[in-house]
């Protein structure tokens, strides 16, 4: 009987799937050097090269691709069998990996974390904040969070919460200097604080009222990819900011920021949790879905 360590096969599958020793090491919770050595030992044990390595990339060889195709379903069956066993014992356990954009992670998922883990203490929850539209299956996530327009049709989607909305706001000093805009076009030429994505894209601001949609390209002087930096700049009086109302609710209530063009700020559906269509999802994911039903029921007036 072959005495190959199952943990080494898990590690190989992670490297081959992610095509990165660094990301695979994070997933496996080991050091990069340790993972690299384990792969060399596995190749020596099997007598075949499984990975092509350069200083910049790693990719499976033809033999590695063949092994990965047969190995991933088998490892999935093993994980499923263990999850089923734990669930039959009444203890959902294991790791649950969720990929989510920042607004959903900050405003919707974050309040759920402690109550969920208190209810299911043997589950290990990992939330990765990522604004990119990734393939959650290829990247090894159990579920992802996206807004309705970005949901893939082959996924099961479950609403995470009530509608959300954007709010345009500014510090009182900004309104004193530049006036209160009465319509979106009034923002042209005014100082703005806007988002910039890792790709370098600066999306326009979109407003809607009575079926009319107006898009305004914020001109700066400040663009940032982190909402905390954006809000701080708005509080310091740098310019107008369009953001999720949940990020600035306390500042609006205190008067440090003032909402404007509120009749142009329409609500939109909140984020959705989505996951692959499987006959038996992992026990940790099933536990989160059950928790989510109760969470939403309690939040409903």
């Amino acid at each position: 009987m072959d005495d190959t360590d199952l943990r080494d096969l898990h590690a190989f599958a992670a490297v081959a799937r992610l095509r990165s020793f660094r990301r695979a090491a994070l997933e496996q919770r080991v050091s990069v050097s340790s993972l690299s050595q384990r792969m060399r030992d596995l190749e020596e044990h099997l007598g075949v090269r499984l990975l092509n390595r350069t200083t910049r990339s790693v990719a499976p060889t033809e033999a590695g691709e063949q092994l990965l195709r047969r190995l991933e379903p088998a490892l999935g069956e093993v994980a499923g069998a263990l999850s089923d066993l734990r669930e039959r014992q009444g203890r959902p356990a294991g790791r649950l990996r969720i990929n989510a954009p920042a607004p959903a992670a900050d405003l919707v998922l974050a309040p759920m974390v402690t109550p969920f883990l208190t209810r299911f203490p043997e589950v290990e929850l990992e939330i990765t904040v990522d604004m990119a539209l990734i393939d959650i299956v290829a990247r090894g996530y159990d579920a992802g969070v996206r807004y309705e327009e970005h949901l893939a049709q082959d996924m099961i989607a479950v609403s995470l919460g009530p509608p959300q909305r954007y709010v345009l706001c500014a510090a009182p000093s900004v309104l004193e200097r530049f006036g209160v805009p009465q319509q979106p076009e009034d923002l042209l030429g005014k100082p703005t604080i806007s988002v910039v994505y890792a790709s370098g894209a600066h999306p326009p601001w979109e407003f809607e009222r009575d079926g009319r949609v107006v898009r305004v390209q914020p001109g700066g002087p400040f663009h940032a990819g982190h909402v905390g930096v954006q809000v701080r700049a708005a509080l310091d009086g740098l310019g107008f900011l369009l953001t999720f109302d949940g990020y600035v609710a306390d500042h609006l209530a205190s008067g440090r920021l003032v909402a404007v063009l509120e009749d142009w700020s329409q609500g939109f559906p909140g984020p959705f949790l989505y996951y692959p269509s499987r006959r038996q999802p992992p026990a940790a994911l099933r536990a989160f879905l059950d928790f989510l039903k109760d969470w939403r029921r309690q939040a409903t007036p």
Side-chain angles (χ1 to χ4, degrees):
M1 180 179 293
D2 191 282
D3 58 351
T4 303
D5 194 321
L6 184 62
R7 291 171 297 181
D8 291 341
L9 296 177
H10 270 290
F12 160 73
V15 174
R17 171 169 43 81
L18 297 172
R19 298 185 178 233
S20 167
F21 274 101
R22 183 181 60 83
R23 292 203 300 265
L26 288 172
E27 180 179 298
Q28 296 291 304
R29 294 194 160 191
V30 298
S31 68
V32 174
S33 59
S34 172
L35 182 60
S36 180
Q37 183 61 52
R38 286 173 64 179
M39 292 302 94
R40 287 193 290 270
D41 292 344
L42 178 62
E43 289 174 328
E44 183 176 347
H45 175 73
L46 297 177
V48 62
R49 178 177 287 276
L50 299 174
L51 299 166
N52 287 321
R53 306 168 178 83
T54 70
T55 56
R56 296 184 177 180
S57 64
V58 58
T61 63
E62 182 179 356
E65 289 279 12
Q66 292 177 356
L67 177 60
L68 182 65
R69 282 196 295 269
R70 299 188 65 179
L71 189 60
E72 285 201 304
L75 293 176
E77 285 294 323
V78 171
L82 294 175
S83 294
D84 288 345
L85 177 61
R86 294 188 186 102
E87 188 169 5
R88 282 198 296 271
Q89 294 175 328
R91 301 195 320 268
R95 183 183 297 185
L96 173 59
R97 303 185 72 223
I98 300 176
N99 182 283
D106 294 339
L107 304 176
V108 181
L109 285 178
M112 301 182 188
V113 170
T114 298
F116 172 68
L117 292 178
T118 300
R119 180 171 168 181
F120 299 103
E122 294 187 49
V123 172
E124 182 179 351
L125 178 61
E126 176 184 320
I127 297 176
T128 300
V129 177
D130 190 348
M131 298 300 290
L133 299 177
I134 68 164
D135 183 338
I136 60 170
V137 176
R139 295 282 293 274
Y141 290 95
D142 299 293
V145 178
R146 289 294 178 264
Y147 288 87
E148 193 171 26
E149 66 271 21
H150 296 304
L151 290 173
Q153 294 184 350
D154 59 345
M155 294 284 178
I156 297 175
V158 180
S159 174
L160 275 175
Q164 295 179 295
R165 66 188 290 266
Y166 284 106
V167 61
L168 179 69
C169 59
S173 60
V174 172
L175 301 181
E176 291 173 5
R177 294 201 316 270
F178 298 98
V180 178
Q182 301 301 311
Q183 56 187 1
E185 292 88 346
D186 293 342
L187 292 168
L188 296 173
K190 302 288 196 301
T192 58
I193 303 160
S194 64
V195 66
V196 58
Y197 293 123
S199 64
H202 296 262
W205 288 353
E206 185 173 295
F207 303 89
E208 181 179 354
R209 185 178 70 180
D210 300 330
R212 180 185 172 216
V213 176
V214 177
R215 293 179 178 86
V216 175
Q217 187 64 51
F222 185 51
H223 313 277
H226 190 279
V227 70
V229 179
Q230 297 168 17
V231 172
R232 174 58 187 267
L235 291 168
D236 288 344
L238 192 58
F240 291 90
L241 170 66
L242 181 70
T243 190
F244 283 78
D245 60 358
Y247 282 126
V248 292
D250 290 344
H251 302 306
L252 293 173
S254 70
R256 297 185 68 193
L257 293 175
V258 178
V260 296
L261 295 183
E262 291 192 87
D263 54 340
W264 284 90
S265 299
Q266 304 296 316
F268 53 89
F272 289 79
L273 181 82
Y274 70 98
Y275 56 96
S277 177
R278 298 174 181 168
R279 185 173 60 87
Q280 290 184 324
L285 178 56
R286 286 199 297 271
F288 187 77
L289 293 172
D290 290 341
F291 169 85
L292 184 57
K293 290 178 184 177
D294 294 339
W295 180 270
R296 294 198 62 196
R297 188 181 304 117
Q298 294 170 10
T300 301

